[in-house]
Amino acid sequence: MEHLTKKELKASIKNKLANVLGVDTETASDALYYKALSMVVVDILQEKRRRFSVDTNSNGKKQVYYLCMEFLMGRSLKNSLYNLEIVDTVRDALDDYGVKLEKLYDYEPDAGLGNGGLGRLAACFLDALATQDYPATGYSICYEYGIFKQKIVDGWQTELPDYWLPGGEVWLSAKPEKSVDVHFGGEVEEFWDNNYHHINYKNYTTVKAVPYDMYVTGYNSKGVSRLRLWKATASGLDMERFNRGDYIGALGANSMAEVISKVLYPNDNHNEGKSLRLRQQYFMVAASVGDIINRHMATYGTLDNLAEKVAIHINDTHPTLAIPELMRILLDDCGYSWDVAWNTVTQVFAYTNHTVMSEALEKWNEDLFASLLPRIYQIIKEMNNRFTYDLYNTYHLDYPTVEQMAIISNRTIHMANLCVMACHSVNGVSALHSEIIKKDVFQQFYRIMPHKFTNVTNGIASRRWLYQSNEGLTRLLKETIGDGFLRDMGQLEKFNPFVDDKNVLDTLATVKLENKQSFCAYIERTTGVVLDPNSIFDAQVKRLHEYKRQHLNALHILTTYQWLKQNPNAEFTPHTYIFGAKAAPGYFLAKQIIKLICTLRDEIEKDPVIREKLRIVYLEDYRVTLSELLMPAAEVSQQISLAGTEASGTGNMKLMLNGALTLGTYDGANVEIAQHVGEENMFIFGMRTEDVAREKASYDPRSIYRDNPVLKDALDQLSKGIGGSTFPDIFHSLVDRDPYMVLKDYDSYAAAHRLVMSTYADQYKWQAMSLRNIAQSGFFCADRATCEYAQNIWELR
């Protein structure tokens, strides 16, 4: 059905317009054509998924369920058309109606159900699993408001609600008959009868989880992944309160239930926010695990074979409560003994860690937890008792070590410890990161259970950032190496032999220039700013965080600006610095860094001489769709986190795939990029992880400030003011504390920039380096990453 003829496609679109939307093809607006076409595509995807599920169930195949609080899906229409390989047929059909397909794409909002890399990774994995015909379901929350829309006002980030559902709802299929009840609060009564442990859970409040399904088709495959998103609704109206005249009280309870799926991640710098986050997490996992169990029982009629047929993956610690929730179902609802239930749980669950910073590992206050989730709390306490008993009596560990490894210690519940203790597999997301979690973050666990620890380096939905976003490069690759790379990105290595072919290098340069011109046209259309496409396009696009060191980039731009002010006639290759980043709403220093970057931008714009050589672009509301426009245009990929702080990064992979050269530290997946492409085809700077560990104890940023006149001038400018704005918090953060050693790495970073400029002057050398990056980027495809998960961790056949 996915290979519709043009005639069938036209008839389907006409049918949707007439019978669902009530218009004819002559009077329908582009917005209605977008809706009609999307409905046709959803029908195709549902039918394809139905056939795929029949095959999966009839053959008793093991299935993977991927739990993540975030899925940064972006737009679905373009992705679906390209993966179904019907984009040309659709374009032709719409042309007959006088409608341009490219215009329809813009009617779809980004499904921004995530903050950044974590949620985008989950979305890429659904695409890759479907492409390889692995049966997969993702689970998350149907947030009514996705990640906030970022508006920059006077240089400051302000947050506006992202109401993505008008325009996005067409991709969601409601399944109310699959709803699951989720319980909060209440009390637990326990009693024993004939050596059987009984639980009576009462006086709880119930929230109904209603599922909405999105479908992600694989490329040139039978597979379709399903993303099931849960919407919270009240279980019913409290008629007793309503009849008493307490209308606000009766309806207020409903509102409190429904707030769970209103907004992606509330601020948690207050108790109400913490409570809501915990509610969101349990709501998502209770609904998802309930759904998994219901589906498994409908297929097999028993849970005895659950571990044989089901793999549940916990992506970061947010879905950890799935572990005690499955224990609850097996113990309380099904009557299994603790040992049998525990054996099942430990075989079913696997965990991916996404942070090297122990302070970022999730923890919950024990009292808050016990009041909100009393039965789950009891189960976690029992897990902790058994685990710590084992640590003392089997492994003979001392008290401080046991406290460090315990699930509950100091009135705090440690989610990562629960994951590592209960899951059969624990992986990091780059080779360096996986070594750090073994040697540092989970060092004690690794000593006694080394068999659990493994690595799966992240991967990206390469087709999205190449085939769908970079038409010129895709065409060049097809002409030189054929089109097999679209199915197997490892075949990009066939591009390597063209590294000395000047015709190919010239074409590569032309493709990059055309992509830069497209990006410039977008910037002019949306901001009125006219950029020079012949300048170096240097991009740092990722979440705004101190460890990612956007302020190192800004500091270097400031020193360059000061130097150009003193040397306005110096030889200088024009440079356009492109930033795209959102700061967490409660993260004040990150917002100040945005203000600093925007203030620098505005100062440079006022100077007609310097702005010919130096420009800053701050991409407001950076998102997947903007990324698809930027990645093909960028030439320098800034990946400058302090070594040992970035778990992996995936923007580095998207930029590499499109031929940008990495200017980066030896951190995260940069290490493996260097191994694949060679450090001579990158610009590596700064300390290594072991240098950071050695230097940290005695690090004194003030001495660097005192002894480096270039840095001192720039830092003093932050205090004195730029364009009427002062930045004392950034100044003191860098000079007094500098937790991410910006000043220590500054000179090495500045030297790397000088090397970028001198290399760029030799365009054949630059394009040859670019070609090698493209040719070696196949390893970083999500197809490879998900295949490693499927075979080595989930044991899917």
Side-chain angles (χ1 to χ4, degrees):
M1 185 179 171
E2 57 267 31
H3 292 294
L4 289 174
T5 64
K6 176 178 162 183
K7 185 179 176 184
E8 289 169 329
L9 197 57
K10 283 179 70 177
S12 296
I13 292 170
K14 185 176 180 181
N15 176 44
K16 293 293 184 191
L17 285 170
N19 297 330
V20 182
L21 300 171
V23 291
D24 58 35
T25 53
E26 283 75 37
T27 58
S29 62
D30 282 355
L32 289 176
Y33 267 104
Y34 154 71
K35 276 200 162 176
L37 175 60
S38 299
M39 288 172 184
V40 170
V41 173
V42 169
D43 287 348
I44 294 170
L45 296 179
Q46 284 182 326
E47 174 57 20
K48 190 178 175 186
R49 170 73 190 192
R50 188 193 64 75
R51 292 203 308 259
F52 183 54
S53 296
V54 166
D55 177 64
T56 300
N57 293 333
S58 60
N59 288 300
K61 291 180 183 174
K62 190 174 188 180
Q63 304 198 40
V64 63
Y65 299 96
Y66 198 82
L67 272 58
C68 188
M69 288 293 285
E70 306 182 26
F71 279 85
L72 200 55
M73 300 302 290
R75 291 173 174 173
S76 291
L77 179 57
K78 187 176 184 180
N79 191 60
S80 300
L81 295 181
Y82 273 83
N83 277 359
L84 290 168
E85 296 183 285
I86 59 172
V87 68
D88 291 334
T89 313
V90 169
R91 191 178 281 118
D92 286 352
L94 290 171
D95 277 347
D96 286 1
Y97 291 130
V99 174
K100 292 278 169 253
L101 175 59
E102 276 62 31
K103 280 190 176 179
L104 301 194
Y105 292 146
D106 288 334
Y107 284 93
E108 182 178 356
D110 277 50
L113 308 182
N115 284 299
L118 177 80
R120 187 54 225 164
L121 182 78
C124 287
F125 279 7
L126 290 183
D127 185 296
L129 286 163
T131 295
Q132 296 169 95
D133 294 328
Y134 287 120
T137 297
Y139 282 109
S140 195
I141 293 178
C142 190
Y143 303 104
E144 196 171 320
Y145 299 93
I147 186 169
F148 59 86
K149 283 199 181 301
Q150 181 192 51
K151 190 92 180 137
I152 305 294
V153 180
D154 296 328
W156 290 100
Q157 170 181 295
T158 56
E159 297 92 26
L160 303 173
D162 169 31
Y163 194 49
W164 69 283
L165 283 172
E169 83 292 338
V170 69
W171 295 98
L172 297 175
S173 302
K175 307 286 180 187
E177 72 283 0
K178 304 281 188 189
S179 295
V180 176
D181 285 347
V182 180
H183 305 312
F184 294 98
E187 302 105 42
V188 181
E189 291 177 343
E190 301 178 80
F191 60 94
W192 288 86
D193 181 28
N194 290 330
N195 291 329
Y196 184 75
H197 183 233
H198 289 272
I199 290 292
N200 182 25
Y201 181 27
K202 61 182 190 179
N203 298 332
Y204 47 75
T205 57
T206 300
V207 177
K208 194 171 282 297
V210 181
Y212 289 78
D213 290 349
M214 284 180 87
Y215 301 95
V216 181
T217 179
Y219 171 76
N220 190 14
S221 71
K222 293 177 181 174
V224 177
S225 297
R226 170 174 37 209
L227 173 58
R228 179 154 281 184
L229 301 169
W230 298 102
K231 182 179 179 182
T233 64
S235 61
L237 186 64
D238 186 336
M239 286 305 294
E240 191 187 334
R241 290 174 87 170
F242 192 84
N243 291 336
R244 281 203 315 265
D246 183 8
Y247 307 132
I248 290 172
L251 294 171
N254 287 4
S255 299
M256 278 310 296
E258 291 172 3
V259 81
I260 288 172
S261 58
K262 281 287 177 193
V263 182
L264 171 76
Y265 278 2
N267 254 346
D268 68 346
N269 49 8
H270 44 69
N271 283 334
E272 292 78 5
K274 286 185 171 67
S275 174
L276 179 51
R277 271 202 191 194
L278 186 55
R279 281 175 185 274
Q280 285 184 331
Q281 292 185 4
Y282 182 66
F283 169 79
M284 193 270 277
V285 302
S288 303
V289 173
D291 190 54
I292 292 166
I293 295 299
N294 291 343
R295 183 177 306 135
H296 184 85
M297 287 296 291
T299 307
Y300 298 104
T302 176
L303 296 184
D304 292 353
N305 65 344
L306 189 71
E308 188 191 323
K309 298 297 183 184
V310 164
I312 304 178
H313 203 84
I314 294 173
N315 194 33
D316 213 355
T317 50
H318 314 120
T320 304
L321 295 178
I323 296 167
E325 175 62 14
L326 181 55
M327 278 299 284
R328 185 195 68 74
I329 290 171
L330 294 172
L331 293 169
D332 299 357
D333 298 349
C334 303
Y336 286 97
S337 69
W338 181 279
D339 290 340
V340 171
W342 184 245
N343 185 49
T344 299
V345 164
T346 53
Q347 290 180 68
V348 163
F349 284 104
Y351 161 56
T352 296
N353 171 274
H354 283 273
T355 182
V356 297
M357 290 179 273
S358 52
E359 69 272 16
L361 294 174
E362 197 176 14
K363 306 170 187 74
W364 290 103
N365 173 276
E366 196 174 354
D367 296 330
L368 168 69
F369 198 99
S371 67
L372 196 64
L373 305 169
R375 179 57 183 145
I376 297 298
Y377 172 67
Q378 285 183 338
I379 291 169
I380 290 176
K381 255 177 85 169
E382 181 65 18
M383 287 178 181
N384 185 60
N385 291 342
R386 289 170 183 249
F387 181 52
T388 52
Y389 178 88
D390 217 23
L391 294 179
Y392 283 125
N393 294 288
T394 305
Y395 298 103
H396 310 295
L397 300 181
D398 58 17
Y399 176 76
T401 305
V402 173
E403 277 294 282
Q404 193 184 333
M405 297 175 72
I407 303 167
I408 304 175
S409 63
N410 301 318
R411 307 293 299 155
T412 303
I413 299 175
H414 299 263
M415 304 298 259
N417 288 1
L418 173 52
C419 279
V420 178
M421 184 272 287
C423 292
H424 67 82
S425 173
V426 177
N427 73 281
V429 289
S430 71
L432 175 65
H433 172 220
S434 294
E435 283 306 302
I436 290 171
I437 66 174
K438 288 193 290 193
K439 291 177 182 170
D440 183 9
V441 184
F442 301 126
Q443 176 192 10
Q444 306 296 350
F445 285 94
Y446 180 64
R447 277 176 50 209
I448 64 172
M449 42 185 86
H451 60 279
K452 287 191 178 192
F453 287 80
T454 187
N455 173 63
V456 184
T457 297
N458 280 344
I460 57 168
S462 304
R463 284 169 292 275
R464 188 167 198 137
W465 273 272
L466 177 59
Y467 178 42
Q468 296 173 31
S469 305
N470 196 337
E471 197 179 316
L473 180 55
T474 302
R475 190 166 53 244
L476 174 60
L477 288 166
K478 283 180 176 178
E479 287 166 2
T480 50
I481 67 171
D483 64 2
F485 69 92
L486 289 173
R487 178 71 193 183
D488 171 15
M489 286 288 162
Q491 291 190 29
L492 287 172
E493 286 194 350
K494 294 179 183 176
F495 199 37
N496 266 319
F498 294 91
V499 74
D500 297 317
D501 186 325
K502 288 199 168 180
N503 287 331
V504 170
L505 298 180
D506 284 338
T507 306
L508 197 57
T510 301
V511 165
K512 183 61 74 175
L513 180 60
E514 287 169 353
N515 290 331
K516 289 167 76 177
Q517 287 166 339
S518 295
F519 181 77
C520 290
Y522 170 81
I523 293 298
E524 185 176 0
R525 191 167 69 247
T526 53
T527 69
V529 175
V530 180
L531 299 176
D532 175 9
N534 295 303
S535 63
I536 302 176
F537 274 24
D538 182 323
Q540 187 181 14
V541 286
K542 48 186 71 248
R543 219 161 22 96
L544 204 307
H545 200 293
E546 288 168 87
Y547 83 81
K548 296 179 188 284
R549 301 203 295 190
Q550 283 95 344
H551 48 341
L552 171 58
N553 193 348
L555 200 56
H556 178 258
I557 295 171
L558 178 54
T559 61
T560 306
Y561 172 63
Q562 290 177 324
W563 181 79
L564 281 171
K565 289 288 274 187
Q566 293 160 3
N567 303 278
N569 299 316
E571 277 289 300
F572 187 84
T573 308
H575 216 106
T576 300
Y577 289 94
I578 301 160
F579 292 88
K582 292 179 180 181
Y587 190 171
F588 183 64
L589 194 66
K591 289 184 165 184
Q592 283 206 308
I593 293 168
I594 293 175
K595 171 67 174 168
L596 170 62
I597 293 165
C598 293
T599 303
L600 269 172
R601 173 197 64 193
D602 296 343
E603 276 303 285
I604 291 165
E605 287 299 310
K606 289 178 198 166
D607 191 319
V609 176
I610 291 179
R611 79 167 180 232
E612 291 299 307
K613 300 180 177 184
L614 194 62
R615 300 295 285 276
I616 294 175
V617 175
Y618 200 97
L619 295 174
E620 193 176 72
D621 200 38
Y622 187 66
R623 57 200 182 278
V624 175
T625 300
L626 212 43
S627 167
E628 291 167 12
L629 194 62
L630 172 66
M631 296 297 170
E635 293 168 292
V636 177
S637 162
Q638 291 222 30
Q639 311 295 331
I640 60 177
S641 51
L642 176 66
T645 60
E646 180 78 271
S648 165
T650 50
N652 46 5
M653 302 168 188
K654 294 161 194 165
L655 286 156
M656 174 197 193
L657 172 67
N658 280 282
L661 305 188
T662 303
L663 166 62
T665 49
Y666 214 63
D667 194 26
N670 292 355
V671 176
E672 285 154 284
I673 290 176
Q675 288 164 356
H676 280 82
V677 80
E679 284 188 45
E680 68 278 8
N681 293 301
M682 304 168 72
F683 304 97
I684 296 288
F685 75 93
M687 293 178 286
R688 304 283 167 112
T689 307
E690 56 274 18
D691 303 326
V692 173
R694 192 174 55 248
E695 293 279 339
K696 258 207 163 139
S698 58
Y699 180 51
D700 175 21
R702 193 166 275 278
S703 65
I704 298 175
Y705 163 71
R706 204 173 42 239
D707 299 340
N708 186 325
V710 172
L711 263 181
K712 188 173 187 308
D713 278 355
L715 288 161
D716 287 345
Q717 196 71 50
L718 298 183
S719 287
K720 283 185 228 158
I722 302 164
S725 298
T726 57
F727 300 92
D729 293 314
I730 299 177
F731 173 87
H732 288 297
S733 163
L734 291 172
V735 173
D736 297 332
R737 299 188 306 281
D738 198 13
Y740 299 104
M741 302 175 92
V742 168
L743 304 193
K744 182 73 179 174
D745 269 350
Y746 177 81
D747 279 346
S748 176
Y749 178 62
H753 267 287
R754 291 192 291 275
L755 184 57
V756 167
M757 299 282 243
S758 62
T759 307
Y760 196 78
D762 180 349
Q763 268 296 295
Y764 278 120
K765 181 179 180 183
W766 185 275
Q767 296 305 335
M769 290 168 73
S770 176
L771 185 147
R772 286 194 184 97
N773 273 269
I774 296 162
Q776 294 303 129
S777 63
F779 175 80
F780 300 102
C781 179
D783 296 356
R784 185 269 317 154
T786 51
C787 192
E788 289 179 19
Y789 277 106
Q791 293 178 8
N792 305 333
I793 294 176
W794 304 327
E795 296 183 350
L796 305 186
R797 295 288 169 261

